[in-house]
Amino acid sequence: MWKKTISLMAISTCMAGNVVAQSIIDVHCHNILPFYMEVLEKHDAAMDEGFPLPAWNVGAHLKFMEEAGIGCSILTMPAPQPYFDDTEECQQTTRRYNEYCAKLKAEYPGKFRFCASLPLPDVNAAITEAVYALDTLGADGVKLATNSRGQYLGNEELDPLMKVLDERNAVIILHPHKPVPVNEELMAALPLAAYEYPAETTRAILNMLVRNVLVRYPHVKVIVPHCGSFLPLAIPRIKALIPALQAKGMMNEVNIEVNLSRLYYDLAGAASPTIIHSMLTITSPDHILYGSDYPYQPAEVLTENLRRLEKDLSEDKELSAYMEMFLWKNAGQLFLSPPLKSALK
C-alpha cells in the first residue's frame, strides 16, 4: 500500500483552505481551554498527571505553525480526562470542547481539524457524543485515553462504542493518561511522560490486540502516540508468548498481524532515525505521521526539533525516500474526507 503514489493535488485539496500541498500535517497537538482548566481546578486535579498543563491560545498556535511550516494541526484534548464521578459535568465539558473545536475548524479552514473528546467512562454518554461530534460537528475522528479512570481500551464494556466508531470508519487518536493504579512514589520521582506514558500506551494497545479489537472492528484506524512507545520491543515478545499461552488454554486465537495493520504511529517525542528504523520493524512507512506535541514544549524547541528531524531524514539513505510521507502525505491520506475518496477513485 505504501508504494501507491499520492498526488499533490489530492493532498492539498483534502486539507482544504490555505494549506499548500507540501505543508506539514501535525497529528499530535493539544488545545488547553479555560473552561477545561476550571473543571480541573475545581476538583484539585490541575496536577493530576504530575506536571502543570501549559498555556494555550489560538494566536500562539498559529504563530508556531507558520514558523515551523505546519499547514494543518489535528487538535485533541490533553490529559487528564475531565471526569470526577459526575457524568453530566464531564458531558458538558467535552461538549463545550468539541463545539469550540468545530468553530475553530470553521474559522480557520484548512488550518485546524480536531478529534472529538468523549465523556468516558460512561459508555452510553460517549456514544451519544461520538455520534454528535462525527455526524453533526464534522469531527475528523475521536481521541481516546489509554484509560478513563481505570477503564482501559480493549475492555469488553467499550465494545458498543467501538461498534459505533467502526460504522463511521473513525480515526482514533490515542493518548496516554495516568495509569490506574499508579505508584505515587515512583510518579513523584520520575515524571509520567518519561516512562509511564509509553508504558501506559503499550499496555493499552496490547490489551486491544489480545482481545482482537481491531480485527473485530476493522474499519477504525488507531494512531499510537510517541514513536510507538514500547511496542517495537513488546510486539516480538507477545508474538513469542502467544503460542505457549494458547497451548495452556490461557488465550484465544489472536491475529496480531491484522491488528497491527490498523495501527498508525506519530513521531511526537524524541523522534530520530534510530527510533524510526525500530518502528519500521512493526509497521510500514505509510503508517508513520508527524506529531509535535505542542504546546508541551516551547514553540522554538519544537521548531528546532522539526528542523533536526527533517535534516536527519534527508541524510538517511533509507528514510529519505519517505520524508514527505511521514511529514504530510500519510496524514493527508488518513484524514481524507469520504466524498474526496469517492471522487479520486
Side-chain angles (χ1 to χ4, degrees), residues 24-27 265-267 272-273 276-277 279-280 283-291 309 313 318-332:
I24 294 165
I25 300 171
D26 183 358
V27 304
Y265 303 83
D266 77 44
L267 294 174
S272 70
I276 295 171
H277 280 291
M279 294 166 67
L280 288 171
T283 192
S284 53
D286 60 321
H287 280 221
I288 294 177
L289 319 165
Y290 172 72
L309 175 63
L313 290 174
E318 180 182 349
L319 299 181
S320 60
Y322 310 129
M323 184 163 72
E324 288 186 348
M325 295 172 68
F326 297 163
L327 295 181
W328 60 274
K329 284 186 176 181
N330 294 341

Side-chain angles (χ1 to χ4, degrees), residues 238-260:
I238 194 69
K239 284 181 177 180
L241 288 171
I242 283 175
L245 294 171
Q246 290 176 336
K248 294 179 179 294
M250 299 173 64
M251 182 180 288
N252 295 324
E253 286 295 320
V254 178
N255 193 325
I256 292 293
E257 296 305 326
V258 173
N259 276 286
L260 288 177

